[in-house]
Amino acid sequence: MTSDKVKKFVTNNGIILLLAVLVIYVGITVPTFRSIKNLSNLAINAAPRVIIALGVSGCLITKGTDLSAGRAVGLAGCLAGMMLQNPEASKRLLPNFPQLPVIVVLLIVMVVCALFGLLNAIVISYLQVPAFICTLGTQLIIYGVALVITGAQPIGSYRQDYINFCQGKLFGVPYLFIYLVIAAAIFWFIYNYTRHGKYMYAIGGNEAAAEVSGVNVKKVKTIIYVTAGAMYAIAGFLLGGKSGGTSVNLGQGYELEAIAACTIGGVSVNGGIGKVSGCIIGVAVFELLKSALQFLGVNTNYQYIAQGVVIVIAIALDIRKYIVKK
């Protein structure tokens, strides 16, 4: 490998390489870090975040973004929790709500969050409002809705079938990991083997050229943001059941983690570039970073600083690659 190729590889994967060194160091100095139990916990924690990142990835590939993702996750967790509280619970938020099957509740939550995704799509595609501004506004709207419907009260005492759906295992493999694999496989197929996937990358590469060549840009973007909303709903539903309780603050800041994870994994904020495998790698790297800092005993406040630095560097490197290509 020539020096130019080495330099290019290091530049393109600098964050991953640095974090890999950190992970190796922690694995050597803190043996429990590399234990099966910890690795299993990492996989379980990463599963909902990969689902969120998959939703965000389509927005980024088309040169958009979605800052409402985290709040949509929180709204989904709250809605699911309200509908799936144990009928004997003393503080049910919906005391007269019928006991619906878990899957039906999941579908309801997906429809609600998909409608917010549709709102984003209409404002971005038809009113030509920048995605950053639109989704920032939607973020506040969704948070306000969650506060109103829950009264800012924590939600718990879930039905056992909901908890089993999120915390169960199949032959020792956590359901959450299985859901991750299914979601990743579906998105991989869509991105690589469907007309929608081709159009998505075309829009991200050059929206004007894609429209001239016959791509219905508004329709493609609408599908992307509606799908993203549904993915946030699935993640919020799973996170609520995984933790056994929730509040309106569930998912706070997850949109930034998802954007950072996508960028670390090679999904460019400048559009037109990105793979499902990159989303998974990015989330894994981010989760390993957080876990490594915890095992090193780093103060939680400093962990936020470290994560913020990683986000800034990842975006900066991505923009630098774009400038170099130009």
Side-chain angles (χ1 to χ4, degrees):
M1 184 179 290
T2 64
S3 59
D4 287 341
K5 289 184 178 179
V6 171
K7 183 179 179 181
K8 183 178 179 181
F9 178 80
V10 172
T11 301
N12 292 342
N13 301 280
I15 289 288
I16 295 177
L17 293 173
L18 287 173
L19 295 181
V21 172
L22 173 64
V23 167
I24 293 170
Y25 170 76
V26 178
I28 293 172
T29 57
V30 187
T32 51
F33 176 76
R34 60 177 188 269
S35 66
I36 298 298
K37 182 179 180 181
N38 184 51
L39 294 176
S40 176
N41 288 336
L42 281 171
I44 292 172
N45 290 334
R49 288 169 170 80
V50 169
I51 292 173
I52 298 169
L54 290 173
V56 170
S57 66
C59 306
L60 295 176
I61 289 171
T62 52
K63 285 190 179 179
T65 190
D66 195 345
L67 299 181
S68 67
R71 292 306 186 185
V73 169
L75 176 63
C78 289
L79 286 173
M82 291 169 66
M83 290 186 279
L84 291 170
Q85 281 187 297
N86 195 308
E88 285 78 36
S90 58
K91 295 183 179 180
R92 290 188 67 196
L93 271 70
L94 299 174
N96 300 317
F97 193 81
Q99 297 300 297
L100 299 176
V102 173
I103 294 295
V104 173
V105 172
L106 173 58
L107 292 174
I108 292 173
V109 172
M110 288 175 68
V111 169
V112 171
C113 290
L115 288 174
F116 282 106
L118 178 61
L119 173 63
N120 283 333
I122 291 172
V123 174
I124 292 168
S125 299
Y126 292 89
L127 300 183
Q128 300 298 308
V129 175
F132 177 87
I133 300 300
C134 171
T135 57
L136 182 61
T138 310
Q139 177 191 83
L140 296 175
I141 293 171
I142 294 174
Y143 185 50
V145 170
L147 287 169
V148 169
I149 64 175
T150 64
Q153 297 297 313
I155 307 169
S157 301
Y158 292 158
R159 283 165 31 187
Q160 191 59 46
D161 55 347
Y162 177 32
I163 293 175
N164 292 341
F165 186 88
C166 301
Q167 299 182 9
K169 294 183 179 181
L170 179 65
F171 303 117
V173 180
Y175 285 164
L176 284 173
F177 187 76
I178 295 174
Y179 301 148
L180 180 160
V181 172
I182 293 172
I186 292 172
F187 269 71
W188 176 82
F189 179 80
I190 291 172
Y191 282 14
N192 292 281
Y193 293 101
T194 67
R195 185 175 297 175
H196 172 76
K198 292 184 177 69
Y199 289 169
M200 180 180 67
Y201 287 105
I203 292 170
N206 189 322
E207 183 172 327
E211 193 160 19
V212 169
S213 64
V215 175
N216 189 332
V217 174
K218 292 182 175 63
K219 178 181 177 182
V220 173
K221 285 188 176 181
T222 298
I223 293 172
I224 287 171
Y225 282 92
V226 169
T227 302
M231 295 301 286
Y232 308 149
I234 295 171
F237 182 92
L238 295 176
L239 281 167
K242 169 181 170 290
S243 59
T246 191
S247 72
V248 292
N249 291 320
L250 175 71
Q252 183 178 5
Y254 280 21
E255 67 280 350
L256 298 180
E257 286 190 18
I259 293 170
C262 286
T263 306
I264 290 170
V267 181
S268 177
V269 295
N270 294 297
I273 300 172
K275 296 180 179 179
V276 170
S277 58
C279 296
I280 298 172
I281 291 171
V283 171
V285 167
F286 216 76
E287 288 303 304
L288 283 168
L289 167 65
K290 291 189 288 185
S291 180
L293 293 175
Q294 290 169 2
F295 272 85
L296 287 174
V298 176
N299 184 288
T300 304
N301 299 331
Y302 290 106
Q303 291 182 32
Y304 284 116
I305 294 174
Q307 292 173 39
V309 170
V310 169
I311 291 173
V312 171
I313 293 175
I315 300 296
L317 288 174
D318 180 64
I319 292 173
R320 184 181 180 281
K321 285 187 288 185
Y322 175 74
I323 292 173
V324 170
K325 286 181 179 178
K326 289 185 70 176

